[in-house]
Amino acid sequence: MSMSLDSAMTGTQNHDDLTRSFAFTTQLDAVMTWGQRNSLWPLAYGTACCGIELMSVMGPKYDLARFGAEVVRFSPRQSDLLLVAGTITEKMAPVLVRIYRQMLEPKYVLSMGVCASSGGFYRAYHVLQGIDKVIPVDVFIPGCPPTPEAVLDGIMLLQKMIKDQNPRPWKQNWKAPEL
Amino acid sequence: MKHLISFDELKSDFVKNQSLQVEKYIFIDAFGDQAIEVPKDDIVVLMQFLFEVKQFDFLIDICGVDYPDRALRFDVVYHLLNSITGQRLRIKSQVAENEGVESVIQVWKGADWFEREAFDMFGIKFHGHPNLRKILTHHEFVGHPLRKDYEASRQQSCATSLPIHFDNEPGSPGDVLNPKLLPLNIGPSHPAMHGTLRVMAELDGETIVRANCEIGYLHRCFEKMAETHPYQQVIPYTDRLNYCSAPMNNIGYCKAVERLLEVEIPPKAQAIRIILAELSRIADHIVAVGTGGVDLGALSAFFHLFVFREKIYDIFEKLCGARLTVSLTRIGGIGNEPPEGWYQLILDFCDSMDKEIDEISRLMLDNKIFVKRTMGVTPIKPQEAVAWGYTGPLLRATGMAHDIRKLKPYYGYDQLDFKIPVGTSGDIYDRYLVRIEEMRESVKIVRQICKNIPEGDYTIRDKSIVLPEKKDVYGNIEGLMNHFMLIIKGIKPPQGEVYDATEAANGELGYYLVSDGSAAPYRLKVRPPCFAIYQSFPSIVKGSMIADAIAAVASMNIIAGELDR
């Protein structure tokens, strides 16, 4: 039925021509990564100063929504991007690992700021010296705290990684720490 | 003129009291601070006396100091405040490694967490404390990190989290959960717990029967870091205490060091510091009100207010290049001269902020849902609040006009025209009301200063304290030498100790600084306003609904950076 309507509109009877005009072929992977990278749902694991700056990233001026990542979920079951913003202490580490393990695949980790990435200038008795000691990290963003522009850059980098389907050996080889 | 109690007066009063060993007391008056060293057996009787007779109503802080070479190894230091006269008194007592001291929790219930912290950090025991457990370090941590023989970088990993536990109250059945009630764990990874707080509750339906807080998830060893860094390098660490209003922490710290060095900063530096402090007070209240709204489901206030916080950050960025953690002040003044047009930028901001405050107060305080969620919820009486050690907007919401800017003005706050807004009932609604009115007052202060900036230098020019300007460092040999020596040797204040407090956005932010004459602080204790406030949480939410507890946490504006340090 629709066929004949369309034919009437375009004034042609050729079935093949019609298909070509509104459909395109692609690979399933490409569609999937397109969807994944443009609808990252972050779990904002904001613990310290970076968490405050992350509010600016989400807020009106910088607006993470432009990159399709505005749906902040605080449930690990509903999110696919773990955005660790702030210092992770030894006391917090088991909680972080548990949250990471509760997330469903595919999942990505973004470490915002030097505290999360390496302990920063807290070379101290109660601070975890980088979250990569306990969970696999895809993108590190330097800064103390990073500017919102840097966070957006980090997210775009992650989107590119998803698009290119880069291999992620740090994730494949990750073993859960014995907690 | 308010009457301050002199040492002679105190001495004659002490002598009348038979139970005190006055002959062993040492009275010290140095750097403008009054301190008394007393034997440890006298502590409780003395505190009782000072509290009841001399109206030292606030227990501001308790902390330890470690002197490993001494026979009686630790100092236990108490800071008291008389909120009527503004007089401060420091009581010190020496204890040996395996000894303990009587807990003062019977005099002030606010001593609870402070004593637990001293126990956790130094291993000082407080007899009679109902629940002397670790508070900041994790439960698998061995040793006491602030002792001088604990190496700053020695990490101990933690593999587990503690289950739900409630042994925080005397007479309660401890960790045994009541099978008829619902145990509920909130946080630390929970949006309403701001990332790092953990609350455990037992519920009957939706009513909280008992609650307990676990903190320390952001304990990043500020005090140990301060001991291992020179005085100037501590400034960036102070930024990260209350990161919502970083310049205020810089100012408080620098003010304490300047008092130890006995220098006075020039009027222009004072004016700029007031501008920075009041702007960051606005920024802090914006976060408190904005995220408080978010926790109650009012997202639009967040979007409205954060536009203005960005404007404040732009002002900071113009001055120093950083947005959040600015490290703007230096010991002896400010880092650099403000750029051209900076004051005009602030005045423009003030004009737009005035309108915004009107709008936000209509948007939130007149909102029926907001009023119903907050009015009459978890109210607290002024006496209770003082006993817990509340300061700042939360204390003022109870109706007590306590503000250090008025009580003991610094940097010329007494020359400025501003009011102290107070609430009446101490409930959540009043807390937001006070915060919003304080923003209005801060705008007023900033405007007055910006229109009347004093002439002169932005810093002192003492070569042993302040680095020379870059043009001198690169331009002549004296400047280069001066820079080199100051970086290598550092600032060396005289031996001694000071306690200095400023009115930060959340209340009294105090720095207790002990110097042994070297280039790094011997001990730096921060008295964070949140710490005293948050310890009251389990008792004030008892009997209220779980949703009210969420609103209560939001209204307290707990900043984990300064809570856990």
Side-chain angles (χ1 to χ4, degrees), chain A residues 43 45-50 52-53 55-56 58-62 74 86-95 99 115 121-127 129 144-145 147-149 178-179, chain B residues 135-138 141 145 150 152-159 161 189 191 195-196 214-221 224-225 237 240 243-244 291 303 306-307 309-310 314 323-325:
Chain A
L43 188 157
Y45 202 95
T47 61
C49 337
C50 285
I52 302 294
E53 203 62 337
M55 284 186 204
S56 292
M58 303 286 176
K61 187 172 170 187
Y62 293 96
F74 286 98
T87 316
I88 299 298
T89 59
E90 303 279 8
K91 193 170 186 171
M92 188 62 111
V95 183
I99 295 282
C115 283
F121 72 172
Y122 291 102
R123 186 131 303 173
Y125 57 86
H126 203 253
V127 177
Q129 302 295 300
C144 188
T147 55
E149 290 91 342
E178 287 175 22
L179 298 180
Chain B
I135 183 163
L136 293 178
T137 56
H138 58 76
F141 198 92
Y150 193 96
S153 59
R154 207 181 87 203
Q155 283 116 14
Q156 300 185 26
S157 65
C158 174
S161 295
S189 173
T196 34
E214 168 103 24
I215 65 166
Y217 286 100
L218 195 61
H219 176 53
R220 38 189 185 182
C221 332
K224 194 77 175 177
M225 290 291 101
Y237 283 98
R240 287 146 185 87
Y243 32 71
C244 291
T291 56
F303 286 119
F306 269 53
V307 175
R309 201 182 67 136
E310 287 296 333
D314 282 349
R323 286 160 47 86
L324 186 71
T325 45

Side-chain angles (χ1 to χ4, degrees), chain B residues 486-507:
Chain B
L486 200 51
I487 292 287
I488 298 294
K489 303 258 182 194
I491 299 172
K492 288 189 176 160
Q495 267 190 13
E497 47 189 60
V498 287
Y499 175 83
D500 202 85
T502 50
E503 183 72 27
N506 270 336

Side-chain angles (χ1 to χ4, degrees), chain B residues 385-448:
Chain B
V386 171
W388 282 117
Y390 275 43
T391 45
L394 264 75
L395 181 62
R396 293 193 279 275
T398 66
M400 202 169 150
H402 174 86
D403 191 316
I404 302 172
R405 291 175 295 171
K406 288 276 188 198
L407 190 66
K408 207 163 182 234
Y410 49 95
Y411 296 158
Y413 267 114
D414 45 346
Q415 316 284 324
L416 298 164
D417 169 35
F418 68 103
K419 297 193 190 75
I420 302 296
V422 289
T424 49
S425 62
D427 62 2
I428 297 177
Y429 186 80
D430 279 8
R431 293 173 191 171
Y432 287 115
L433 195 65
V434 165
R435 285 210 173 92
I436 288 176
E437 289 306 314
E438 270 184 26
M439 284 199 239
R440 238 186 271 273
E441 296 301 318
S442 292
V443 170
K444 221 159 92 186
I445 295 174
V446 172
R447 202 177 267 138
Q448 287 172 51

Side-chain angles (χ1 to χ4, degrees), chain B residues 24 40 92 191 319 415 472 509 560 562:
Chain B
K24 288 187 189 162
K40 73 180 178 66
K92 300 200 318 178
L319 184 60
Q415 316 284 324
D472 292 326
L509 176 73
E562 66 174 11

Side-chain angles (χ1 to χ4, degrees), chain A residues 6-172:
Chain A
D6 282 341
S7 317
M9 278 159 71
T10 50
T12 167
Q13 298 295 314
N14 190 327
H15 184 261
D16 283 349
D17 284 354
L18 269 177
T19 343
R20 230 169 272 135
S21 69
F22 60 78
F24 62 93
T25 57
T26 179
Q27 288 170 314
L28 188 59
D29 279 356
V31 179
M32 270 182 45
T33 56
W34 173 79
Q36 265 172 26
R37 73 175 184 272
N38 290 314
S39 65
L40 288 167
W41 285 17
L43 188 157
Y45 202 95
T47 61
C49 337
C50 285
I52 302 294
E53 203 62 337
L54 189 60
M55 284 186 204
S56 292
V57 180
M58 303 286 176
K61 187 172 170 187
Y62 293 96
D63 199 9
L64 195 57
R66 295 178 294 155
F67 301 87
E70 80 277 26
V71 192
V72 181
R73 292 288 117 160
F74 286 98
S75 163
R77 307 280 188 210
Q78 297 173 350
S79 50
D80 49 10
L81 171 62
L82 181 60
L83 232 164
V84 184
T87 316
I88 299 298
T89 59
E90 303 279 8
K91 193 170 186 171
M92 188 62 111
V95 183
L96 180 69
V97 174
R98 181 189 267 198
I99 295 282
Y100 178 74
R101 295 179 71 172
Q102 284 174 349
M103 287 170 66
L104 304 180
E105 296 283 357
K107 54 186 173 186
Y108 306 93
V109 179
L110 200 138
S111 159
M112 175 179 174
V114 287
C115 283
S117 304
S118 72
F121 72 172
Y122 291 102
R123 186 131 303 173
Y125 57 86
H126 203 253
V127 177
L128 187 69
Q129 302 295 300
I131 55 168
D132 55 335
K133 291 206 157 125
V134 289
I135 56 172
V137 181
D138 294 294
V139 176
F140 295 96
I141 306 172
C144 188
T147 55
E149 290 91 342
V151 180
L152 297 180
D153 189 44
I155 288 185
M156 285 161 73
L157 189 68
L158 182 68
Q159 287 178 329
K160 189 170 178 304
M161 276 172 66
I162 298 170
K163 186 188 175 197
D164 299 345
Q165 298 180 33
N166 285 356
R168 299 195 294 155
W170 52 88
K171 174 148 192 315
Q172 266 103 51

